[in-house]
Amino acid sequence: MKLGLWRKKQNPKLKTSQIEKPSFPVPSFSNRATVAVPTPPPYIHFTPLSHSFSLDEPQLEKPRQRVEMDNTAKTPNGERRQITIKLWPPSENTRLMLVERMTNNLSTPTIFTRKYGSLGQPEAAKYAKQIEESAFCSANQHYEQEPDGDGSSAVQLYARECSKLILEVLKGGAKLEEKEALKSEVESAPRETFFDISKGQRAFIEADEAQVLLNPLKEPGNSYTKICFSNRSFGLGAANVAGPILASIKNQLKEVDLSDFVAGRPEAEALDVMNIFSEALEGSHLKYLNISDNALGEKGVRAFAKLLRSQTSLEELYLMNDGISKEAAQAVCELVPSTEVLKVLHFHNNMTGDEGAIAISEILKRCPLLEDFRCSSTRVGSEGGIALTEALAQCRILKKLDLRDNMFGVEAGLKLSEALKKHENLTEIYLSYLNLEDDGAVAIANTLKESAPSLAVLEMAGNDITAEAAPSLAACIASKKSLVKLNLSENDLKDDGAIQISKAFGEGQDQLKEVDVSQNSLTTTARKLAQALVHLPGFKLLNVNGNFISEEDIDELRSIFKECQEKLGPLDENDPEGNDFDDKEDGDEDEGSQDELEEKLKKLDVNQEN
């Protein structure tokens, strides 16, 4: 059994690996590819094969260098795997060498020192170090925003910043106050706190690659408080490299993202990797922990036992898409004893079921400060839904609640309406696809009308809500002056219900931006909704697709939004004939069955004699 499948991303048999070699400025290339290395900006030159920078006088642009390399490496089992080499960040040795070069250029005769004057060796060394730190900080911030993440533009920016600051120091001449101002500016530059290796293509990480990737974490005095190892699959060798490094900095870490970090590994190896990381981080004081997308199951949860048990300050915990079964949920309840300051708890897309939901409800009872709870797509039925909603009554400051795509039913919906009476701080509530029906929807709408004054998002799609529940929904909507998004799609409101809802969009709904009433068997009333919404100052999108709107009414809708067509969603899935596609298919099937039966009866020869 393998843990952590790529899940909708890439082939789990992917054999490529990505390794950052920060000091080697060669872009990503294919096998035996020949690539051109861009000519660096004036003054600072990055010499690819010597791994060093040089500061020279201006020169004519030289022809681009061409570097030919073999970009494959052998794995422990002898297979060859492609290696992608990154340009950023530079190694510590490269940075020290650049400081030395800049020191020489600030203190020895060059065209610029002859023009502006040179510095003494101690002063030059001091400014060279400050210049490098400032340039590195600017380039690293730029690198974080690179879509491709290869670091090529960061290297160029690094060189330009160094050149610019060197000239600024030299042009300052003997004006000490200007140099001190520059020193203050450089020293005040923020130090990097976020270490992220998740950029680029997915890749398996082995020991040698981990040594290079994680090298910045070994630098003395680093300020990293947040790490993200997502999108990299750690083997046992890589984990043995990462373990001591993480243990050495665990006391400074506040946020750790280990989501999707053992994908494609055999179960035994993946569990060993989890154990190594768990032991390395045991005793840290984390505020944020994400171990989603690892197909943990109960074994995986228990592999993180040392880490989970040691956390006393955790504010955010993410266990999404982790195969959290009944047993795994019970393990989480057992291994996360300290939840007094927990603010965010997410269990999205698991196979928790009713018994697992009961275990999760025990965690909720210990979370008085919980603000954001997500338990969507977890196969929870009525029994588990009731347990969750009753436990949620203890979470009095809840702001965001997401229970979508479960099988609660009416009874759990009624229990939820009672719990919501105590949630005055709710700003977002997602209750789609819960089988609430009219009774559950009415009870919840009536409760929300009297509570949650700052509600901004209300979603109740796919709950078999009919026109009978529309008056209660309309009254609730009208009372929410902070409402930004309303989703009532995939219900059965029809025209009578839509008319009631349209009356709710009036004075005081200035914050409303999005309304979705698609797939509700609407006909002419779509115009009523459009007329009520089009003049709201902040409105952005009306979705009435998938209804029974005629061509004439579609033209009328477009006319209403003629000055702002972008506010009207697509209309290509409407059926102008007013037929329900599902009903039509059922009817065709029944008709075919009837015709077949009649044909057989015609051919039937009834013999009354025995």
Side-chain angles (χ1 to χ4, degrees):
M1 176 182 172
K2 291 189 176 183
L3 296 183
L5 297 178
W6 289 132
R7 289 188 192 85
K8 302 180 183 179
K9 295 180 180 178
Q10 289 198 9
N11 193 324
K13 297 181 180 179
L14 182 66
K15 296 295 183 181
T16 58
S17 175
Q18 191 169 42
I19 174 172
E20 294 181 9
K21 292 192 175 179
S23 62
F24 202 86
V26 182
S28 303
F29 45 81
S30 58
N31 189 32
R32 300 295 300 175
T34 301
V35 296
V37 178
T39 302
Y43 317 130
I44 296 291
H45 297 279
F46 187 60
T47 309
L49 299 181
S50 65
H51 298 203
S52 63
F53 286 87
S54 63
L55 179 69
D56 300 318
E57 298 177 11
Q59 305 175 25
L60 293 176
E61 183 175 340
K62 296 179 180 179
R64 295 189 175 191
Q65 303 175 57
R66 302 188 71 82
V67 181
E68 184 173 316
M69 299 209 47
D70 185 350
N71 67 317
T72 61
K74 286 188 177 181
T75 62
N77 61 8
E79 297 180 0
R80 297 191 72 82
R81 187 171 66 228
Q82 187 181 37
I83 298 175
T84 303
I85 298 178
K86 286 194 173 185
L87 300 164
W88 189 265
S91 68
E92 186 66 19
N93 287 338
T94 298
R95 295 179 65 185
L96 291 174
M97 192 176 296
L98 177 59
V99 171
E100 183 180 347
R101 294 278 181 106
M102 289 193 294
T103 299
N104 291 335
N105 281 272
L106 286 167
S107 60
T108 58
T110 67
I111 187 173
F112 297 108
T113 56
R114 293 189 191 100
K115 182 175 181 180
Y116 299 113
S118 61
L119 303 178
Q121 181 71 18
E123 190 177 15
K126 177 181 66 176
Y127 278 113
K129 186 174 186 303
Q130 293 169 359
I131 288 169
E132 191 281 331
E133 289 177 353
S134 177
F136 179 83
C137 181
S138 298
N140 210 47
Q141 289 176 347
H142 174 80
Y143 170 68
E144 292 294 330
Q145 301 174 2
E146 280 194 315
D148 57 2
D150 70 354
S152 58
S153 58
V155 171
Q156 297 292 325
L157 178 61
Y158 186 39
R160 286 197 302 272
E161 285 293 303
C162 285
S163 297
K164 182 184 75 172
L165 291 174
I166 286 173
L167 288 176
E168 287 181 6
V169 169
L170 291 175
K171 287 179 179 179
K175 296 181 179 179
L176 185 60
E177 63 275 10
E178 293 182 13
K179 293 182 182 178
E180 288 300 320
L182 175 62
K183 175 183 176 183
S184 176
E185 177 184 344
V186 172
E187 289 180 339
S188 64
R191 301 190 68 183
E192 183 63 30
T193 61
F194 184 29
F195 182 78
D196 184 4
I197 61 171
S198 66
K199 289 189 171 75
Q201 295 181 347
R202 292 172 168 273
F204 287 90
I205 301 298
E206 305 303 338
D208 55 343
E209 301 166 72
Q211 289 282 4
V212 176
L213 278 174
L214 306 183
N215 188 58
L217 294 177
K218 297 191 292 185
E219 295 179 5
N222 74 74
S223 301
Y224 294 113
T225 59
K226 300 186 291 183
I227 59 171
C228 178
F229 286 2
S230 183
N231 203 37
R232 295 288 182 269
S233 180
F234 280 76
L236 190 56
N240 283 324
V241 171
I245 296 174
L246 292 177
S248 69
I249 63 170
K250 67 180 180 182
N251 290 331
Q252 70 191 54
L253 292 177
K254 299 299 179 186
E255 298 184 18
V256 171
D257 186 344
L258 299 179
S259 60
D260 194 19
F261 85 124
V262 289
R265 300 289 180 178
E267 180 183 39
E269 182 181 19
L271 290 172
D272 286 341
V273 170
M274 293 176 192
N275 272 300
I276 290 171
F277 275 77
S278 176
E279 186 172 346
L281 293 167
E282 181 183 9
S284 56
H285 303 285
L286 302 181
K287 294 183 179 296
Y288 171 105
L289 177 61
N290 189 347
I291 50 177
S292 302
D293 300 312
N294 286 309
L296 297 175
E298 183 186 6
K299 291 180 181 178
V301 171
R302 294 196 180 280
F304 279 109
K306 290 183 178 179
L307 171 59
L308 292 173
R309 278 200 178 107
S310 68
Q311 297 308 302
T312 59
S313 306
L314 206 57
E315 295 181 3
E316 298 183 42
L317 177 61
Y318 299 85
L319 290 156
M320 300 183 290
N321 200 27
D322 264 336
I324 301 295
S325 60
K326 171 189 71 175
E327 294 79 10
Q330 291 168 346
V332 174
C333 182
E334 170 195 337
L335 298 173
V336 187
S338 180
T339 56
E340 288 79 7
V341 296
L342 197 65
K343 295 181 179 179
V344 180
L345 180 61
H346 283 197
F347 280 100
H348 168 69
N349 197 28
N350 286 297
M351 48 186 184
T352 310
D354 283 342
E355 292 184 69
I358 292 171
I360 293 171
S361 70
E362 293 302 314
I363 301 175
L364 292 177
K365 293 175 183 178
R366 309 195 304 262
C367 299
L369 300 183
L370 195 66
E371 297 179 0
D372 181 350
F373 178 62
R374 185 179 187 187
C375 194
S376 51
S377 302
T378 49
R379 307 182 187 180
V380 177
S382 180
E383 183 183 2
I386 291 171
L388 287 175
T389 55
E390 289 178 345
L392 283 169
Q394 309 296 320
C395 309
R396 301 296 183 88
I397 63 172
L398 199 66
K399 295 180 180 178
K400 183 177 178 181
L401 177 62
D402 187 348
L403 299 171
R404 282 175 287 190
D405 191 22
N406 283 298
M407 300 169 284
F408 278 26
V410 176
E411 186 178 357
L414 296 174
K415 288 289 185 181
L416 178 58
S417 70
E418 295 175 11
L420 292 176
K421 293 176 181 178
K422 301 178 181 180
H423 293 114
E424 292 292 322
N425 299 298
L426 270 177
T427 58
E428 298 179 34
I429 187 166
Y430 301 88
L431 304 176
S432 298
Y433 312 107
L434 292 177
N435 299 330
L436 296 175
E437 300 181 11
D438 284 342
D439 288 345
V442 168
I444 290 171
N446 289 339
T447 295
L448 291 176
K449 178 186 174 184
E450 304 300 330
S451 62
S454 300
L455 192 67
V457 177
L458 174 60
E459 290 200 6
M460 298 180 72
N463 277 303
D464 295 323
I465 301 172
T466 72
E468 290 184 17
S472 295
L473 286 171
C476 173
I477 294 165
S479 70
K480 302 305 167 193
K481 305 306 181 184
S482 299
L483 195 65
V484 174
K485 181 180 179 182
L486 174 67
N487 185 355
L488 296 173
S489 64
E490 297 185 57
N491 283 300
D492 199 24
L493 290 170
K494 297 186 177 178
D495 286 339
D496 289 344
I499 289 174
Q500 294 291 328
I501 299 297
S502 67
K503 294 177 180 178
F505 306 131
E507 187 177 351
Q509 299 285 343
D510 294 348
Q511 304 298 315
L512 193 60
K513 289 180 169 55
E514 240 180 276
V515 172
D516 189 345
V517 285
S518 58
Q519 300 184 53
N520 267 283
S521 304
L522 307 185
T523 59
T524 57
T525 53
R527 289 184 294 174
K528 297 281 188 183
L529 289 166
Q531 290 165 347
L533 293 167
V534 69
H535 299 299
L536 296 180
F539 192 72
K540 291 185 177 180
L541 182 64
L542 170 63
N543 186 359
V544 290
N545 209 5
N547 286 299
F548 304 151
I549 306 173
S550 68
E551 294 293 342
E552 180 183 351
D553 285 322
I554 286 176
D555 290 340
E556 181 65 24
L557 282 171
R558 288 174 174 151
S559 176
I560 293 171
F561 284 96
K562 64 181 178 181
E563 301 297 330
C564 48
Q565 290 289 327
E566 72 282 358
K567 295 182 180 181
L568 180 62
L571 297 164
D572 56 310
E573 294 182 5
N574 274 289
D575 177 17
E577 301 301 321
N579 294 316
D580 189 313
F581 293 111
D582 293 335
D583 291 345
K584 184 177 180 180
E585 289 174 2
D586 293 342
D588 291 344
E589 185 176 333
D590 293 340
E591 184 179 346
S593 300
Q594 184 67 25
D595 292 342
E596 184 179 357
L597 178 61
E598 290 177 359
E599 186 65 23
K600 288 182 178 179
L601 287 173
K602 287 178 182 178
K603 297 179 181 179
L604 183 64
D605 184 12
V606 180
N607 186 357
Q608 296 181 357
E609 294 182 4
N610 294 328

